[in-house]
Amino acid sequence: MKLYWAPHTRAFRILWLMEEAGAPYERELVDIRTGAQDDPAFRRINPMGKVPALSDGDAHLAESGAICAYVAEQVPAAHLAPPVGDPLRARYLHWMFFSAGCMEPAFLQKMKGIELPKSAAGWGSFDLVMEVVDEALKDGPYLLGEAFTAADIMLAMDLWYAIHLLKVVTPTPRVAAYVARCTARPAFQRAEAIEAAELAARAVAAG
């Protein structure tokens, strides 16, 4: 598999995913500072010209949730998804797509101060989203209990960004503990080291 990525983007969660999966993979840097995302060759991988994207032989895909679901199925030995037929798979799929469908638009609504009727927004409201997340973590340590899955990568990464970078979420103790638990995982730490090494190399190249 080949991951198309750039530091300080949503591609970090797929970098984390690949480290959790433990399967061999390549990384191809897409330098978004120079417009490399608009290169026709890359646009054939992801017509949106965004990272992350993934190639696996003749298979090409983008969108973080789709990539997480694909890799989890391609590397079953990593146990990043309940198998088909397992009742937990329904809740896994629910949370896999909750980030893009509910959390990210709720964060944008909060940041921009957008007023919308609760019935008109697919995510309801920012407060509702955060209440649902907090409730989902009550039995922990992860979304599906003891099993860490690709859905945790999606959720924890969005929460981490919202807390530490966007400053749009003031975490409850339960949410803070969950994010700390997820980001303490060795695979997350390896992904951070990979990104830090790339950023250091850029700094050296820039003089």
Side-chain angles (χ1 to χ4, degrees), residues 60-120:
H60 309 294
L61 69 159
E63 301 301 326
S64 295
I67 296 172
C68 281
Y70 179 85
V71 172
E73 290 183 359
Q74 293 299 109
V75 191
H79 303 293
L80 290 172
V84 174
D86 187 324
L88 284 176
R89 189 170 177 84
R91 191 51 65 185
Y92 159 79
L93 291 171
H94 171 101
W95 289 113
M96 178 67 76
F97 298 104
F98 186 84
S99 289
C102 294
M103 288 183 65
E104 292 182 13
F107 295 164
L108 181 62
Q109 179 187 26
K110 180 76 169 179
M111 290 169 62
K112 299 297 184 181
I114 300 169
E115 295 294 333
L116 283 173
K118 186 176 177 181
S119 60

Side-chain angles (χ1 to χ4, degrees), residues 98 103 106-107 123 125-136 159 162-163 168-172 175:
F98 186 84
M103 288 183 65
F107 295 164
W123 57 95
S125 69
F126 174 84
D127 289 341
L128 175 61
V129 166
M130 295 313 301
E131 288 169 12
V132 167
V133 168
D134 191 69
E135 178 68 15
L159 288 170
I163 294 165
V168 72
V169 167
T170 300
T172 63
V175 168

Side-chain angles (χ1 to χ4, degrees), residues 3-202:
L3 167 63
Y4 298 87
W5 76 295
H8 288 173
T9 68
R10 286 181 175 85
F12 183 86
R13 48 187 171 197
I14 307 304
L15 194 59
W16 177 13
L17 169 78
M18 300 308 293
E19 291 298 315
E20 290 280 0
Y25 73 101
E26 301 174 52
R27 292 187 300 274
E28 181 163 322
L29 182 68
V30 179
D31 194 342
I32 60 177
R33 301 169 304 167
T34 62
Q37 68 273 27
D38 295 322
D39 183 275
F42 181 65
R43 292 288 294 273
R44 284 192 289 273
I45 303 297
N46 183 7
M48 290 294 290
K50 299 285 187 178
V51 291
L54 188 81
S55 289
D56 183 19
D58 292 331
H60 309 294
L61 69 159
E63 301 301 326
S64 295
I67 296 172
C68 281
Y70 179 85
V71 172
E73 290 183 359
Q74 293 299 109
V75 191
H79 303 293
L80 290 172
V84 174
D86 187 324
L88 284 176
R89 189 170 177 84
R91 191 51 65 185
Y92 159 79
L93 291 171
H94 171 101
W95 289 113
M96 178 67 76
F97 298 104
F98 186 84
S99 289
C102 294
M103 288 183 65
E104 292 182 13
F107 295 164
L108 181 62
Q109 179 187 26
K110 180 76 169 179
M111 290 169 62
K112 299 297 184 181
I114 300 169
E115 295 294 333
L116 283 173
K118 186 176 177 181
S119 60
W123 57 95
S125 69
F126 174 84
D127 289 341
L128 175 61
V129 166
M130 295 313 301
E131 288 169 12
V132 167
V133 168
D134 191 69
E135 178 68 15
L137 300 175
K138 69 177 182 179
D139 296 327
Y142 301 113
L143 285 167
L144 301 187
E146 294 296 325
F148 177 87
T149 70
D152 290 296
I153 292 175
M154 291 294 296
L155 191 80
M157 199 71 256
D158 268 3
L159 288 170
W160 188 93
Y161 275 117
I163 294 165
H164 298 288
L165 298 182
L166 302 179
K167 309 291 187 183
V168 72
V169 167
T170 300
T172 63
R174 189 182 288 162
V175 168
Y178 169 75
V179 172
R181 188 179 307 119
C182 289
T183 57
R185 293 177 66 85
F188 182 93
Q189 302 297 320
R190 290 195 299 272
E192 275 199 320
I194 291 167
E195 186 166 275
E198 175 58 33
L199 292 170
R202 285 186 177 188

